Amino acid sequence: MAGSTDLNLLRAEAHSPSYFSLLRGTSGLQGAPVDFCIPCNPYFPTPEVFELLGRNITTILKYYPSDADTIAAELCSVLGLKPQTVVMGNGSTELITWIDHLLVHESLAIPIPTFGRWTDQPMETGKRVDMYPLPEDQGFALDIEAYVRFIRRRGSRVAVICNPNNPDGGYVSRAQVIELLDTLSDLDLVVVDESFIDFVDAEAHTSVADEAVIRPNVIVLKSLGKNFGLHGIRFGYLVANPALAAKVRRMLPKWNLNSFAESVVFMLKEHMREYQDSLRLLAADRRSMFQQLSTLPGVTVYPSQGNFLMVRLPEGKDGKALRDHLFSAHNVFVRECGNKLGSSSRFLRLVVRPRVDVERLIDGMHSYLFSVGNGRATAAIGAAPSRPAQASQSAPSRYEPPASSAPSRYESPSSYDSSPYAASPSYTSPSPYAANSSRGESYATPASPSAKEPVAYLTEPSTITPPSYQNGASYQRDSYQRDPSAGSASYQRRDGYSGSSSYEPDPFVVGSDDPRHGRLDPLDTTARWTFDENTAPFNAVSDRTRRYDGRRS
């Protein structure tokens, strides 16, 4: 690939570089990097939402936003929450900072590896951080009873869990989290960080926000940026009982949210159906990506309920070198986890993306994991494998741990098909998952040697019924087919809507017209925006109808 890259950008110790820094540090690359690092929702916002924001960019940038209470009241009306129990912040990290300053007095317990601000923020203010290592040999699953014993032994006064956890995606059932809240009712504070919980499909009811509003020492934290794929807007919120919420709210600036955040919040009612659809598309991509990564010999893939998967590289393979190779040779951006406490550079966190992007990722990983000779890949681990056949897409969406806690390694396949991947196969409905949530296990179990996620983990199957859809209705994922010769895509939805789109042959260009990437790249320099002089407030009347103060656009 032509062009140059400043790899020093990838070697910052504290955090991955911002996407803006990444683009400024590259020259001559073929398009924007394929991003497997930043945990965005690839299917939301829709192009219509971006179009509406673009049409109103003058108003958004020119005028002050409403105060935080006004924006929070609208969010509560959309999500069915009570305003006195909600505090909105300029990103969840602002709320973590104030939680530390106001409510953490001596010590805080946190399982690791996890989101770095939960360890770094309290240490920066002189608190003792009691780190509970999640056992690698048990797939980084959080054992709630063992964690409680650790808290009691250390005398921690505040306890935190991230559910699902970042970077492994391990999920603890709602019933088990409530049991934890009951057990730790004597602590100063218990925080449940649910920044990624909207991506969970292991059970219908996941959040414990309803429990937080009636308990004196519980806060549930949410991240709208992660869910809605809008990290740049910086907005998150917490849910707690009114007295606890008011204590945090009093410390925040009255105008701590920007006009972009207000615009998006006031558009949500009109676009919640598309948001729910995006979660189902992402869950299907997560299962497909799990299977695709499972074809790499010697790589361990950990089942996840977040919008990312964690993988462990074979012994002797370094994640930093792989990260640099993927970025410089394949224009693929990944998160190496060596700077996360409780992890090492053998681990990568890979954000869930559509299948065609994953194929590019796997090509790059394969070229690094295996030495190159005579134009073909020769195995650097064990016997020389050929390219594995595509894995089946019938994996279950419910992950329950096996009886044994020992992880499994994937065995090297014996054959490797040298033919190229299919351009973009059609997708079918995911298999039903087990609905029994009373067992309360954690779901972060390592993958089995099979190319599929292990069906032996399933109990009696039932039909997937997401909470926002009609009870008893089975889900058939939107099908998508591409005709490479025609250079166009067609897609059919169950609600009867069908459409077509023409796009460039390269499916990896961010912001292309491929419906699998149907979102506008805000940094696309080829896009032309036209703005009029109208700066009046705007309303989203319907999905395809916009108007400025009574004037149709």
PDB file of all heavy atoms in Angstrom, residues 110-116 119-120 123 131-137 139-140 165-168 302 310 312 336-347:
ATOM      1  N   ILE A 110     -12.092  -3.198  41.923  1.00  0.00           N
ATOM      2  CA  ILE A 110     -12.466  -3.306  40.518  1.00  0.00           C
ATOM      3  C   ILE A 110     -11.814  -4.550  39.912  1.00  0.00           C
ATOM      4  O   ILE A 110     -10.630  -4.794  40.128  1.00  0.00           O
ATOM      5  CB  ILE A 110     -12.042  -2.037  39.742  1.00  0.00           C
ATOM      6  CG1 ILE A 110     -12.397  -2.124  38.257  1.00  0.00           C
ATOM      7  CG2 ILE A 110     -10.560  -1.752  39.929  1.00  0.00           C
ATOM      8  CD1 ILE A 110     -13.848  -1.991  37.937  1.00  0.00           C
ATOM      9  N   PRO A 111     -12.582  -5.383  39.181  1.00  0.00           N
ATOM     10  CA  PRO A 111     -11.953  -6.493  38.456  1.00  0.00           C
ATOM     11  C   PRO A 111     -11.117  -5.958  37.299  1.00  0.00           C
ATOM     12  O   PRO A 111     -11.476  -4.958  36.669  1.00  0.00           O
ATOM     13  CB  PRO A 111     -13.148  -7.314  37.942  1.00  0.00           C
ATOM     14  CG  PRO A 111     -14.325  -6.857  38.754  1.00  0.00           C
ATOM     15  CD  PRO A 111     -14.051  -5.416  39.077  1.00  0.00           C
ATOM     16  N   ILE A 112     -10.007  -6.624  37.022  1.00  0.00           N
ATOM     17  CA  ILE A 112      -9.156  -6.235  35.887  1.00  0.00           C
ATOM     18  C   ILE A 112      -8.869  -7.472  35.038  1.00  0.00           C
ATOM     19  O   ILE A 112      -8.844  -8.590  35.563  1.00  0.00           O
ATOM     20  CB  ILE A 112      -7.835  -5.576  36.350  1.00  0.00           C
ATOM     21  CG1 ILE A 112      -7.050  -6.517  37.273  1.00  0.00           C
ATOM     22  CG2 ILE A 112      -8.092  -4.255  37.000  1.00  0.00           C
ATOM     23  CD1 ILE A 112      -5.645  -6.058  37.567  1.00  0.00           C
ATOM     24  N   PRO A 113      -8.677  -7.286  33.717  1.00  0.00           N
ATOM     25  CA  PRO A 113      -8.629  -6.031  32.969  1.00  0.00           C
ATOM     26  C   PRO A 113     -10.020  -5.419  32.815  1.00  0.00           C
ATOM     27  O   PRO A 113     -11.024  -6.124  32.787  1.00  0.00           O
ATOM     28  CB  PRO A 113      -8.065  -6.456  31.606  1.00  0.00           C
ATOM     29  CG  PRO A 113      -8.499  -7.878  31.447  1.00  0.00           C
ATOM     30  CD  PRO A 113      -8.443  -8.463  32.827  1.00  0.00           C
ATOM     31  N   THR A 114     -10.036  -4.088  32.678  1.00  0.00           N
ATOM     32  CA  THR A 114     -11.306  -3.384  32.515  1.00  0.00           C
ATOM     33  C   THR A 114     -11.027  -1.998  31.943  1.00  0.00           C
ATOM     34  O   THR A 114      -9.892  -1.683  31.565  1.00  0.00           O
ATOM     35  CB  THR A 114     -12.055  -3.294  33.858  1.00  0.00           C
ATOM     36  OG1 THR A 114     -13.408  -2.908  33.624  1.00  0.00           O
ATOM     37  CG2 THR A 114     -11.401  -2.294  34.798  1.00  0.00           C
ATOM     38  N   PHE A 115     -12.064  -1.154  31.880  1.00  0.00           N
ATOM     39  CA  PHE A 115     -11.918   0.205  31.381  1.00  0.00           C
ATOM     40  C   PHE A 115     -10.947   0.978  32.273  1.00  0.00           C
ATOM     41  O   PHE A 115     -11.115   1.046  33.497  1.00  0.00           O
ATOM     42  CB  PHE A 115     -13.275   0.893  31.350  1.00  0.00           C
ATOM     43  CG  PHE A 115     -13.243   2.315  30.871  1.00  0.00           C
ATOM     44  CD1 PHE A 115     -12.578   2.662  29.705  1.00  0.00           C
ATOM     45  CD2 PHE A 115     -13.883   3.313  31.589  1.00  0.00           C
ATOM     46  CE1 PHE A 115     -12.545   3.982  29.258  1.00  0.00           C
ATOM     47  CE2 PHE A 115     -13.869   4.633  31.153  1.00  0.00           C
ATOM     48  CZ  PHE A 115     -13.189   4.964  29.982  1.00  0.00           C
ATOM     49  N   GLY A 116      -9.915   1.572  31.676  1.00  0.00           N
ATOM     50  CA  GLY A 116      -8.792   2.119  32.433  1.00  0.00           C
ATOM     51  C   GLY A 116      -9.136   3.233  33.395  1.00  0.00           C
ATOM     52  O   GLY A 116      -8.456   3.404  34.416  1.00  0.00           O
ATOM     53  N   THR A 119      -9.517   2.392  37.127  1.00  0.00           N
ATOM     54  CA  THR A 119      -8.323   2.198  37.949  1.00  0.00           C
ATOM     55  C   THR A 119      -7.517   3.494  38.044  1.00  0.00           C
ATOM     56  O   THR A 119      -7.030   3.857  39.117  1.00  0.00           O
ATOM     57  CB  THR A 119      -7.437   1.081  37.364  1.00  0.00           C
ATOM     58  OG1 THR A 119      -7.119   1.379  35.990  1.00  0.00           O
ATOM     59  CG2 THR A 119      -8.149  -0.256  37.435  1.00  0.00           C
ATOM     60  N   ASP A 120      -7.397   4.206  36.924  1.00  0.00           N
ATOM     61  CA  ASP A 120      -6.520   5.380  36.897  1.00  0.00           C
ATOM     62  C   ASP A 120      -7.092   6.561  37.679  1.00  0.00           C
ATOM     63  O   ASP A 120      -6.351   7.239  38.415  1.00  0.00           O
ATOM     64  CB  ASP A 120      -6.273   5.805  35.451  1.00  0.00           C
ATOM     65  CG  ASP A 120      -5.582   4.727  34.632  1.00  0.00           C
ATOM     66  OD1 ASP A 120      -5.104   3.750  35.240  1.00  0.00           O
ATOM     67  OD2 ASP A 120      -5.534   4.855  33.394  1.00  0.00           O
ATOM     68  N   MET A 123      -6.666   6.354  41.515  1.00  0.00           N
ATOM     69  CA  MET A 123      -5.252   6.428  41.887  1.00  0.00           C
ATOM     70  C   MET A 123      -4.718   7.851  41.731  1.00  0.00           C
ATOM     71  O   MET A 123      -3.866   8.282  42.510  1.00  0.00           O
ATOM     72  CB  MET A 123      -4.436   5.450  41.032  1.00  0.00           C
ATOM     73  CG  MET A 123      -4.632   3.996  41.439  1.00  0.00           C
ATOM     74  SD  MET A 123      -3.426   2.860  40.698  1.00  0.00           S
ATOM     75  CE  MET A 123      -3.919   2.897  38.984  1.00  0.00           C
ATOM     76  N   MET A 131      -7.408  -4.250  43.071  1.00  0.00           N
ATOM     77  CA  MET A 131      -7.650  -4.845  41.748  1.00  0.00           C
ATOM     78  C   MET A 131      -7.804  -6.352  41.869  1.00  0.00           C
ATOM     79  O   MET A 131      -6.927  -7.046  42.373  1.00  0.00           O
ATOM     80  CB  MET A 131      -6.503  -4.499  40.803  1.00  0.00           C
ATOM     81  CG  MET A 131      -6.282  -3.006  40.649  1.00  0.00           C
ATOM     82  SD  MET A 131      -4.938  -2.642  39.504  1.00  0.00           S
ATOM     83  CE  MET A 131      -4.505  -0.979  40.050  1.00  0.00           C
ATOM     84  N   TYR A 132      -8.952  -6.834  41.401  1.00  0.00           N
ATOM     85  CA  TYR A 132      -9.264  -8.268  41.438  1.00  0.00           C
ATOM     86  C   TYR A 132      -8.981  -8.863  40.063  1.00  0.00           C
ATOM     87  O   TYR A 132      -9.702  -8.577  39.100  1.00  0.00           O
ATOM     88  CB  TYR A 132     -10.733  -8.470  41.817  1.00  0.00           C
ATOM     89  CG  TYR A 132     -11.205  -9.904  41.736  1.00  0.00           C
ATOM     90  CD1 TYR A 132     -10.797 -10.836  42.685  1.00  0.00           C
ATOM     91  CD2 TYR A 132     -12.062 -10.317  40.715  1.00  0.00           C
ATOM     92  CE1 TYR A 132     -11.224 -12.152  42.613  1.00  0.00           C
ATOM     93  CE2 TYR A 132     -12.493 -11.630  40.642  1.00  0.00           C
ATOM     94  CZ  TYR A 132     -12.073 -12.549  41.588  1.00  0.00           C
ATOM     95  OH  TYR A 132     -12.492 -13.847  41.506  1.00  0.00           O
ATOM     96  N   PRO A 133      -7.925  -9.681  39.927  1.00  0.00           N
ATOM     97  CA  PRO A 133      -7.572 -10.212  38.600  1.00  0.00           C
ATOM     98  C   PRO A 133      -8.599 -11.241  38.121  1.00  0.00           C
ATOM     99  O   PRO A 133      -8.880 -12.227  38.809  1.00  0.00           O
ATOM    100  CB  PRO A 133      -6.201 -10.868  38.824  1.00  0.00           C
ATOM    101  CG  PRO A 133      -5.719 -10.358  40.145  1.00  0.00           C
ATOM    102  CD  PRO A 133      -6.941 -10.079  40.949  1.00  0.00           C
ATOM    103  N   LEU A 134      -9.152 -11.008  36.955  1.00  0.00           N
ATOM    104  CA  LEU A 134     -10.035 -12.000  36.332  1.00  0.00           C
ATOM    105  C   LEU A 134      -9.166 -13.135  35.799  1.00  0.00           C
ATOM    106  O   LEU A 134      -8.179 -12.891  35.096  1.00  0.00           O
ATOM    107  CB  LEU A 134     -10.838 -11.361  35.198  1.00  0.00           C
ATOM    108  CG  LEU A 134     -11.831 -10.281  35.630  1.00  0.00           C
ATOM    109  CD1 LEU A 134     -12.412  -9.581  34.418  1.00  0.00           C
ATOM    110  CD2 LEU A 134     -12.939 -10.874  36.483  1.00  0.00           C
ATOM    111  N   PRO A 135      -9.497 -14.381  36.116  1.00  0.00           N
ATOM    112  CA  PRO A 135      -8.604 -15.502  35.761  1.00  0.00           C
ATOM    113  C   PRO A 135      -8.619 -15.806  34.270  1.00  0.00           C
ATOM    114  O   PRO A 135      -9.672 -16.097  33.688  1.00  0.00           O
ATOM    115  CB  PRO A 135      -9.174 -16.674  36.577  1.00  0.00           C
ATOM    116  CG  PRO A 135     -10.604 -16.317  36.827  1.00  0.00           C
ATOM    117  CD  PRO A 135     -10.672 -14.821  36.898  1.00  0.00           C
ATOM    118  N   GLU A 136      -7.448 -15.736  33.665  1.00  0.00           N
ATOM    119  CA  GLU A 136      -7.343 -16.041  32.237  1.00  0.00           C
ATOM    120  C   GLU A 136      -7.731 -17.480  31.942  1.00  0.00           C
ATOM    121  O   GLU A 136      -8.342 -17.775  30.911  1.00  0.00           O
ATOM    122  CB  GLU A 136      -5.912 -15.763  31.761  1.00  0.00           C
ATOM    123  CG  GLU A 136      -5.678 -16.024  30.291  1.00  0.00           C
ATOM    124  CD  GLU A 136      -4.243 -15.781  29.875  1.00  0.00           C
ATOM    125  OE1 GLU A 136      -3.544 -14.999  30.548  1.00  0.00           O
ATOM    126  OE2 GLU A 136      -3.813 -16.364  28.863  1.00  0.00           O
ATOM    127  N   ASP A 137      -7.383 -18.400  32.853  1.00  0.00           N
ATOM    128  CA  ASP A 137      -7.684 -19.810  32.595  1.00  0.00           C
ATOM    129  C   ASP A 137      -9.167 -20.127  32.717  1.00  0.00           C
ATOM    130  O   ASP A 137      -9.588 -21.253  32.442  1.00  0.00           O
ATOM    131  CB  ASP A 137      -6.864 -20.717  33.524  1.00  0.00           C
ATOM    132  CG  ASP A 137      -7.197 -20.512  35.000  1.00  0.00           C
ATOM    133  OD1 ASP A 137      -7.981 -19.577  35.303  1.00  0.00           O
ATOM    134  OD2 ASP A 137      -6.681 -21.261  35.846  1.00  0.00           O
ATOM    135  N   GLY A 139     -11.356 -17.927  31.182  1.00  0.00           N
ATOM    136  CA  GLY A 139     -11.927 -17.059  30.168  1.00  0.00           C
ATOM    137  C   GLY A 139     -12.262 -15.670  30.657  1.00  0.00           C
ATOM    138  O   GLY A 139     -13.142 -15.016  30.102  1.00  0.00           O
ATOM    139  N   PHE A 140     -11.585 -15.204  31.718  1.00  0.00           N
ATOM    140  CA  PHE A 140     -11.820 -13.882  32.311  1.00  0.00           C
ATOM    141  C   PHE A 140     -13.246 -13.744  32.860  1.00  0.00           C
ATOM    142  O   PHE A 140     -13.760 -12.634  32.984  1.00  0.00           O
ATOM    143  CB  PHE A 140     -11.540 -12.765  31.299  1.00  0.00           C
ATOM    144  CG  PHE A 140     -10.104 -12.716  30.845  1.00  0.00           C
ATOM    145  CD1 PHE A 140      -9.712 -13.351  29.676  1.00  0.00           C
ATOM    146  CD2 PHE A 140      -9.148 -12.061  31.598  1.00  0.00           C
ATOM    147  CE1 PHE A 140      -8.384 -13.322  29.266  1.00  0.00           C
ATOM    148  CE2 PHE A 140      -7.823 -12.024  31.197  1.00  0.00           C
ATOM    149  CZ  PHE A 140      -7.440 -12.663  30.022  1.00  0.00           C
ATOM    150  N   ASN A 165     -18.077  -6.479  30.425  1.00  0.00           N
ATOM    151  CA  ASN A 165     -16.766  -5.940  30.749  1.00  0.00           C
ATOM    152  C   ASN A 165     -16.000  -5.582  29.478  1.00  0.00           C
ATOM    153  O   ASN A 165     -16.187  -6.193  28.427  1.00  0.00           O
ATOM    154  CB  ASN A 165     -15.958  -6.958  31.560  1.00  0.00           C
ATOM    155  CG  ASN A 165     -14.709  -6.358  32.147  1.00  0.00           C
ATOM    156  OD1 ASN A 165     -14.712  -5.236  32.647  1.00  0.00           O
ATOM    157  ND2 ASN A 165     -13.604  -7.104  32.096  1.00  0.00           N
ATOM    158  N   ASN A 166     -15.164  -4.588  29.593  1.00  0.00           N
ATOM    159  CA  ASN A 166     -14.290  -4.159  28.514  1.00  0.00           C
ATOM    160  C   ASN A 166     -12.849  -4.413  28.975  1.00  0.00           C
ATOM    161  O   ASN A 166     -12.466  -3.917  30.031  1.00  0.00           O
ATOM    162  CB  ASN A 166     -14.514  -2.658  28.266  1.00  0.00           C
ATOM    163  CG  ASN A 166     -13.538  -2.023  27.309  1.00  0.00           C
ATOM    164  OD1 ASN A 166     -12.809  -2.697  26.602  1.00  0.00           O
ATOM    165  ND2 ASN A 166     -13.511  -0.689  27.301  1.00  0.00           N
ATOM    166  N   PRO A 167     -12.070  -5.282  28.305  1.00  0.00           N
ATOM    167  CA  PRO A 167     -12.123  -5.601  26.877  1.00  0.00           C
ATOM    168  C   PRO A 167     -12.646  -6.968  26.498  1.00  0.00           C
ATOM    169  O   PRO A 167     -12.680  -7.292  25.307  1.00  0.00           O
ATOM    170  CB  PRO A 167     -10.648  -5.523  26.494  1.00  0.00           C
ATOM    171  CG  PRO A 167      -9.944  -6.088  27.699  1.00  0.00           C
ATOM    172  CD  PRO A 167     -10.745  -5.608  28.880  1.00  0.00           C
ATOM    173  N   ASP A 168     -13.022  -7.828  27.438  1.00  0.00           N
ATOM    174  CA  ASP A 168     -13.341  -9.214  27.084  1.00  0.00           C
ATOM    175  C   ASP A 168     -14.797  -9.442  26.724  1.00  0.00           C
ATOM    176  O   ASP A 168     -15.134 -10.446  26.111  1.00  0.00           O
ATOM    177  CB  ASP A 168     -12.959 -10.148  28.240  1.00  0.00           C
ATOM    178  CG  ASP A 168     -13.657  -9.765  29.534  1.00  0.00           C
ATOM    179  OD1 ASP A 168     -13.156  -8.855  30.225  1.00  0.00           O
ATOM    180  OD2 ASP A 168     -14.708 -10.344  29.847  1.00  0.00           O
ATOM    181  N   TYR A 302     -12.661 -15.206  22.563  1.00  0.00           N
ATOM    182  CA  TYR A 302     -13.501 -15.221  23.760  1.00  0.00           C
ATOM    183  C   TYR A 302     -14.901 -14.720  23.419  1.00  0.00           C
ATOM    184  O   TYR A 302     -15.053 -13.597  22.932  1.00  0.00           O
ATOM    185  CB  TYR A 302     -12.885 -14.343  24.852  1.00  0.00           C
ATOM    186  CG  TYR A 302     -11.550 -14.855  25.337  1.00  0.00           C
ATOM    187  CD1 TYR A 302     -10.373 -14.483  24.686  1.00  0.00           C
ATOM    188  CD2 TYR A 302     -11.459 -15.724  26.411  1.00  0.00           C
ATOM    189  CE1 TYR A 302      -9.143 -14.968  25.101  1.00  0.00           C
ATOM    190  CE2 TYR A 302     -10.235 -16.211  26.835  1.00  0.00           C
ATOM    191  CZ  TYR A 302      -9.082 -15.829  26.184  1.00  0.00           C
ATOM    192  OH  TYR A 302      -7.860 -16.319  26.594  1.00  0.00           O
ATOM    193  N   MET A 310     -12.521 -10.186  22.181  1.00  0.00           N
ATOM    194  CA  MET A 310     -11.122 -10.243  22.584  1.00  0.00           C
ATOM    195  C   MET A 310     -10.527 -11.552  22.091  1.00  0.00           C
ATOM    196  O   MET A 310     -11.165 -12.613  22.174  1.00  0.00           O
ATOM    197  CB  MET A 310     -10.967 -10.134  24.105  1.00  0.00           C
ATOM    198  CG  MET A 310      -9.510  -9.986  24.517  1.00  0.00           C
ATOM    199  SD  MET A 310      -9.297  -9.561  26.271  1.00  0.00           S
ATOM    200  CE  MET A 310      -9.729 -11.106  27.052  1.00  0.00           C
ATOM    201  N   ARG A 312      -6.757 -13.972  21.894  1.00  0.00           N
ATOM    202  CA  ARG A 312      -5.398 -14.185  22.393  1.00  0.00           C
ATOM    203  C   ARG A 312      -4.564 -14.779  21.270  1.00  0.00           C
ATOM    204  O   ARG A 312      -4.966 -15.775  20.642  1.00  0.00           O
ATOM    205  CB  ARG A 312      -5.398 -15.126  23.594  1.00  0.00           C
ATOM    206  CG  ARG A 312      -4.012 -15.325  24.219  1.00  0.00           C
ATOM    207  CD  ARG A 312      -4.066 -16.261  25.406  1.00  0.00           C
ATOM    208  NE  ARG A 312      -4.462 -17.605  25.003  1.00  0.00           N
ATOM    209  CZ  ARG A 312      -4.835 -18.554  25.858  1.00  0.00           C
ATOM    210  NH1 ARG A 312      -4.884 -18.298  27.150  1.00  0.00           N
ATOM    211  NH2 ARG A 312      -5.186 -19.745  25.426  1.00  0.00           N
ATOM    212  N   GLU A 336      -4.547  -3.094  20.717  1.00  0.00           N
ATOM    213  CA  GLU A 336      -3.683  -4.039  21.421  1.00  0.00           C
ATOM    214  C   GLU A 336      -3.799  -3.743  22.910  1.00  0.00           C
ATOM    215  O   GLU A 336      -3.824  -2.587  23.326  1.00  0.00           O
ATOM    216  CB  GLU A 336      -2.255  -3.869  20.905  1.00  0.00           C
ATOM    217  CG  GLU A 336      -1.226  -4.715  21.614  1.00  0.00           C
ATOM    218  CD  GLU A 336      -0.589  -3.977  22.780  1.00  0.00           C
ATOM    219  OE1 GLU A 336      -0.441  -2.743  22.706  1.00  0.00           O
ATOM    220  OE2 GLU A 336      -0.268  -4.644  23.773  1.00  0.00           O
ATOM    221  N   CYS A 337      -3.899  -4.776  23.743  1.00  0.00           N
ATOM    222  CA  CYS A 337      -4.284  -4.604  25.152  1.00  0.00           C
ATOM    223  C   CYS A 337      -3.118  -4.683  26.125  1.00  0.00           C
ATOM    224  O   CYS A 337      -3.333  -4.898  27.327  1.00  0.00           O
ATOM    225  CB  CYS A 337      -5.336  -5.649  25.529  1.00  0.00           C
ATOM    226  SG  CYS A 337      -6.899  -5.476  24.630  1.00  0.00           S
ATOM    227  N   GLY A 338      -1.893  -4.502  25.651  1.00  0.00           N
ATOM    228  CA  GLY A 338      -0.751  -4.615  26.543  1.00  0.00           C
ATOM    229  C   GLY A 338      -0.699  -3.556  27.624  1.00  0.00           C
ATOM    230  O   GLY A 338      -0.079  -3.768  28.674  1.00  0.00           O
ATOM    231  N   ASN A 339      -1.327  -2.385  27.400  1.00  0.00           N
ATOM    232  CA  ASN A 339      -1.284  -1.339  28.428  1.00  0.00           C
ATOM    233  C   ASN A 339      -2.475  -1.399  29.372  1.00  0.00           C
ATOM    234  O   ASN A 339      -2.650  -0.511  30.201  1.00  0.00           O
ATOM    235  CB  ASN A 339      -1.199   0.043  27.777  1.00  0.00           C
ATOM    236  CG  ASN A 339      -2.414   0.359  26.908  1.00  0.00           C
ATOM    237  OD1 ASN A 339      -3.302  -0.462  26.745  1.00  0.00           O
ATOM    238  ND2 ASN A 339      -2.438   1.553  26.344  1.00  0.00           N
ATOM    239  N   LYS A 340      -3.299  -2.428  29.275  1.00  0.00           N
ATOM    240  CA  LYS A 340      -4.394  -2.615  30.225  1.00  0.00           C
ATOM    241  C   LYS A 340      -3.915  -3.464  31.396  1.00  0.00           C
ATOM    242  O   LYS A 340      -3.340  -4.543  31.198  1.00  0.00           O
ATOM    243  CB  LYS A 340      -5.596  -3.297  29.555  1.00  0.00           C
ATOM    244  CG  LYS A 340      -6.458  -2.348  28.739  1.00  0.00           C
ATOM    245  CD  LYS A 340      -7.717  -3.037  28.279  1.00  0.00           C
ATOM    246  CE  LYS A 340      -8.678  -2.047  27.632  1.00  0.00           C
ATOM    247  NZ  LYS A 340      -9.305  -1.147  28.615  1.00  0.00           N
ATOM    248  N   LEU A 341      -4.151  -2.986  32.603  1.00  0.00           N
ATOM    249  CA  LEU A 341      -3.789  -3.757  33.788  1.00  0.00           C
ATOM    250  C   LEU A 341      -4.541  -5.084  33.785  1.00  0.00           C
ATOM    251  O   LEU A 341      -5.737  -5.129  33.538  1.00  0.00           O
ATOM    252  CB  LEU A 341      -4.124  -2.968  35.052  1.00  0.00           C
ATOM    253  CG  LEU A 341      -3.360  -1.652  35.238  1.00  0.00           C
ATOM    254  CD1 LEU A 341      -3.927  -0.867  36.415  1.00  0.00           C
ATOM    255  CD2 LEU A 341      -1.871  -1.921  35.438  1.00  0.00           C
ATOM    256  N   GLY A 342      -3.811  -6.174  34.053  1.00  0.00           N
ATOM    257  CA  GLY A 342      -4.426  -7.487  34.049  1.00  0.00           C
ATOM    258  C   GLY A 342      -4.418  -8.162  32.696  1.00  0.00           C
ATOM    259  O   GLY A 342      -4.972  -9.250  32.541  1.00  0.00           O
ATOM    260  N   SER A 343      -3.809  -7.520  31.688  1.00  0.00           N
ATOM    261  CA  SER A 343      -3.747  -8.081  30.346  1.00  0.00           C
ATOM    262  C   SER A 343      -2.300  -8.084  29.878  1.00  0.00           C
ATOM    263  O   SER A 343      -1.378  -7.758  30.624  1.00  0.00           O
ATOM    264  CB  SER A 343      -4.639  -7.278  29.393  1.00  0.00           C
ATOM    265  OG  SER A 343      -4.637  -7.844  28.100  1.00  0.00           O
ATOM    266  N   SER A 344      -2.065  -8.463  28.630  1.00  0.00           N
ATOM    267  CA  SER A 344      -0.717  -8.461  28.061  1.00  0.00           C
ATOM    268  C   SER A 344      -0.829  -8.192  26.569  1.00  0.00           C
ATOM    269  O   SER A 344      -1.926  -8.130  26.007  1.00  0.00           O
ATOM    270  CB  SER A 344      -0.022  -9.807  28.303  1.00  0.00           C
ATOM    271  OG  SER A 344      -0.566 -10.814  27.456  1.00  0.00           O
ATOM    272  N   SER A 345       0.317  -8.049  25.923  1.00  0.00           N
ATOM    273  CA  SER A 345       0.324  -7.715  24.500  1.00  0.00           C
ATOM    274  C   SER A 345      -0.060  -8.894  23.614  1.00  0.00           C
ATOM    275  O   SER A 345      -0.116  -8.748  22.393  1.00  0.00           O
ATOM    276  CB  SER A 345       1.698  -7.184  24.087  1.00  0.00           C
ATOM    277  OG  SER A 345       2.697  -8.165  24.286  1.00  0.00           O
ATOM    278  N   ARG A 346      -0.323 -10.050  24.203  1.00  0.00           N
ATOM    279  CA  ARG A 346      -0.839 -11.172  23.400  1.00  0.00           C
ATOM    280  C   ARG A 346      -2.331 -11.011  23.103  1.00  0.00           C
ATOM    281  O   ARG A 346      -2.879 -11.764  22.297  1.00  0.00           O
ATOM    282  CB  ARG A 346      -0.624 -12.505  24.124  1.00  0.00           C
ATOM    283  CG  ARG A 346       0.786 -13.055  24.060  1.00  0.00           C
ATOM    284  CD  ARG A 346       0.861 -14.415  24.736  1.00  0.00           C
ATOM    285  NE  ARG A 346       0.075 -15.417  24.044  1.00  0.00           N
ATOM    286  CZ  ARG A 346      -0.239 -16.612  24.545  1.00  0.00           C
ATOM    287  NH1 ARG A 346       0.172 -16.931  25.774  1.00  0.00           N
ATOM    288  NH2 ARG A 346      -0.932 -17.475  23.854  1.00  0.00           N
ATOM    289  N   PHE A 347      -2.968 -10.033  23.734  1.00  0.00           N
ATOM    290  CA  PHE A 347      -4.411  -9.877  23.585  1.00  0.00           C
ATOM    291  C   PHE A 347      -4.755  -8.665  22.715  1.00  0.00           C
ATOM    292  O   PHE A 347      -4.132  -7.607  22.825  1.00  0.00           O
ATOM    293  CB  PHE A 347      -5.079  -9.724  24.955  1.00  0.00           C
ATOM    294  CG  PHE A 347      -5.004 -10.966  25.795  1.00  0.00           C
ATOM    295  CD1 PHE A 347      -3.928 -11.169  26.643  1.00  0.00           C
ATOM    296  CD2 PHE A 347      -5.991 -11.933  25.723  1.00  0.00           C
ATOM    297  CE1 PHE A 347      -3.844 -12.316  27.414  1.00  0.00           C
ATOM    298  CE2 PHE A 347      -5.921 -13.087  26.487  1.00  0.00           C
ATOM    299  CZ  PHE A 347      -4.846 -13.274  27.342  1.00  0.00           C
TER     300      PHE A 347
END
